[in-house]
Amino acid sequence: MPAICAIIPHLDSQERTLTCLNRVIQQSRSVQSIVIVNNGPEDSPVITEAGKIADQTLPAGTLHILHAEGNLGNIGTCARGMEYAFRELRADFAWLLDDNTWARPAALEHLLAAEADAQTIRVCVRINPAQGDELSRPLSVPGSKEGVWIPTARKADLPEGNIIPCRGGLFGALFPRAAWQSIGTPTEKLVTQGTDEYSWKLQQAGFRFVTVMNAELELPVAPVPLIHYRLANRSFFYEPGIPVERQYYKMRNWAWLQRLRAPRNYPARLAHCGFYIVMALNAMLECNELTPRRIYNLFRALHNGFYGKLRPY
């Protein structure tokens, strides 16, 4: 039986983190270890409460608490947790979760039951119970041409079957030790919104991603829906209402990924950034967020990512 370590980043919400922990404990297929990476103060009440829950429900030594130094964000905390799981705990798989992704009881069992080779990374589907278990986030599936991905927002529009090829994933994904041995952990300096970069690196190393539709994670959606524009084979999503700091990392990390993909193709990268700027400004106007602060944030983020500068917000 493979040894599985569940990794939970604790950011700012005690209620969400403890809900995530309890959902892991309730899995029909037990994990061998759980790592909570604390991104807050060491005396955070969630750490004390998590310890009490573990003492009451888990074998001794199952729960491990790591304390981050400074603000690592969810990408940084997952990177620390993955490194600890594989290097210190000698896990066969790391199951990465976010504090607001809550696994249904058979999620892990279904992930493991899905047929996959050593180069396949299985990912849970994220659903919103408040909307009849519809997709919480668009799922990118293969288009008619190689390298083209189609963001799909409704289950009814997805390809048939329980195992669906997808563009990538981080939270809800079951990463084998081989993935860590191949490319290491996600880049800590991305802080947040770094899923695409890690997925791309794994794909370049020969791994592929599939979504397992009966392995379900509950992820409530924001009250304001995503704004989606599509032009030819390119899609753009804008998330209204998010803090400026998070928006900075999302935009900077996008430009950083374009640099990784084509480090010397400056004209193509400039064209992509131009497309991004036009779409972002239009989306800001549509949702009444076209303010000097957010406009400056947009250009600063893209500038830093374009030139490979992972400067913090």
PDB file of all heavy atoms in Angstrom, residues 86 118 152 247 250 289 291 310:
ATOM      1  N   PHE A  86       8.301  14.211   1.079  1.00  0.00           N
ATOM      2  CA  PHE A  86       9.131  13.280   0.318  1.00  0.00           C
ATOM      3  C   PHE A  86      10.504  13.052   0.946  1.00  0.00           C
ATOM      4  O   PHE A  86      11.010  11.931   0.953  1.00  0.00           O
ATOM      5  CB  PHE A  86       9.284  13.766  -1.118  1.00  0.00           C
ATOM      6  CG  PHE A  86       8.035  13.619  -1.943  1.00  0.00           C
ATOM      7  CD1 PHE A  86       7.487  14.707  -2.609  1.00  0.00           C
ATOM      8  CD2 PHE A  86       7.400  12.395  -2.056  1.00  0.00           C
ATOM      9  CE1 PHE A  86       6.337  14.566  -3.376  1.00  0.00           C
ATOM     10  CE2 PHE A  86       6.235  12.243  -2.813  1.00  0.00           C
ATOM     11  CZ  PHE A  86       5.718  13.337  -3.476  1.00  0.00           C
ATOM     12  N   ALA A 118       3.128   5.680 -14.320  1.00  0.00           N
ATOM     13  CA  ALA A 118       4.029   6.410 -13.436  1.00  0.00           C
ATOM     14  C   ALA A 118       4.213   7.861 -13.844  1.00  0.00           C
ATOM     15  O   ALA A 118       4.685   8.679 -13.048  1.00  0.00           O
ATOM     16  CB  ALA A 118       5.392   5.710 -13.394  1.00  0.00           C
ATOM     17  N   THR A 152     -13.532  24.832 -19.993  1.00  0.00           N
ATOM     18  CA  THR A 152     -14.916  24.365 -19.966  1.00  0.00           C
ATOM     19  C   THR A 152     -15.494  24.605 -18.587  1.00  0.00           C
ATOM     20  O   THR A 152     -14.926  24.173 -17.588  1.00  0.00           O
ATOM     21  CB  THR A 152     -14.979  22.861 -20.325  1.00  0.00           C
ATOM     22  OG1 THR A 152     -14.322  22.659 -21.583  1.00  0.00           O
ATOM     23  CG2 THR A 152     -16.405  22.385 -20.420  1.00  0.00           C
ATOM     24  N   GLN A 247      -3.825  39.919  -6.914  1.00  0.00           N
ATOM     25  CA  GLN A 247      -3.889  40.181  -8.347  1.00  0.00           C
ATOM     26  C   GLN A 247      -2.491  40.414  -8.914  1.00  0.00           C
ATOM     27  O   GLN A 247      -2.174  39.975 -10.027  1.00  0.00           O
ATOM     28  CB  GLN A 247      -4.783  41.395  -8.604  1.00  0.00           C
ATOM     29  CG  GLN A 247      -5.128  41.616 -10.065  1.00  0.00           C
ATOM     30  CD  GLN A 247      -6.074  42.790 -10.217  1.00  0.00           C
ATOM     31  OE1 GLN A 247      -5.705  43.932  -9.931  1.00  0.00           O
ATOM     32  NE2 GLN A 247      -7.290  42.517 -10.661  1.00  0.00           N
ATOM     33  N   LYS A 250      -0.831  37.058  -9.400  1.00  0.00           N
ATOM     34  CA  LYS A 250      -1.455  36.334 -10.502  1.00  0.00           C
ATOM     35  C   LYS A 250      -0.930  36.845 -11.840  1.00  0.00           C
ATOM     36  O   LYS A 250      -0.574  36.049 -12.737  1.00  0.00           O
ATOM     37  CB  LYS A 250      -2.979  36.506 -10.419  1.00  0.00           C
ATOM     38  CG  LYS A 250      -3.763  35.719 -11.447  1.00  0.00           C
ATOM     39  CD  LYS A 250      -5.255  35.830 -11.170  1.00  0.00           C
ATOM     40  CE  LYS A 250      -6.056  34.950 -12.114  1.00  0.00           C
ATOM     41  NZ  LYS A 250      -7.513  34.978 -11.801  1.00  0.00           N
ATOM     42  N   GLU A 289     -13.513  48.277 -11.768  1.00  0.00           N
ATOM     43  CA  GLU A 289     -12.256  48.229 -11.028  1.00  0.00           C
ATOM     44  C   GLU A 289     -11.134  48.961 -11.776  1.00  0.00           C
ATOM     45  O   GLU A 289      -9.955  48.764 -11.479  1.00  0.00           O
ATOM     46  CB  GLU A 289     -11.846  46.771 -10.785  1.00  0.00           C
ATOM     47  CG  GLU A 289     -12.730  46.046  -9.788  1.00  0.00           C
ATOM     48  CD  GLU A 289     -12.242  44.658  -9.445  1.00  0.00           C
ATOM     49  OE1 GLU A 289     -11.258  44.180 -10.056  1.00  0.00           O
ATOM     50  OE2 GLU A 289     -12.849  44.024  -8.558  1.00  0.00           O
ATOM     51  N   THR A 291      -9.164  51.479 -11.719  1.00  0.00           N
ATOM     52  CA  THR A 291      -8.641  52.521 -10.842  1.00  0.00           C
ATOM     53  C   THR A 291      -7.148  52.708 -11.106  1.00  0.00           C
ATOM     54  O   THR A 291      -6.475  51.793 -11.608  1.00  0.00           O
ATOM     55  CB  THR A 291      -8.850  52.140  -9.367  1.00  0.00           C
ATOM     56  OG1 THR A 291      -8.082  50.952  -9.080  1.00  0.00           O
ATOM     57  CG2 THR A 291     -10.318  51.876  -9.076  1.00  0.00           C
ATOM     58  N   LEU A 310      11.096  38.208  -9.813  1.00  0.00           N
ATOM     59  CA  LEU A 310      10.042  37.751  -8.910  1.00  0.00           C
ATOM     60  C   LEU A 310      10.021  38.617  -7.647  1.00  0.00           C
ATOM     61  O   LEU A 310      10.170  38.138  -6.525  1.00  0.00           O
ATOM     62  CB  LEU A 310      10.242  36.272  -8.565  1.00  0.00           C
ATOM     63  CG  LEU A 310      10.034  35.295  -9.736  1.00  0.00           C
ATOM     64  CD1 LEU A 310      10.231  33.864  -9.281  1.00  0.00           C
ATOM     65  CD2 LEU A 310       8.643  35.472 -10.343  1.00  0.00           C
TER      66      LEU A 310
END
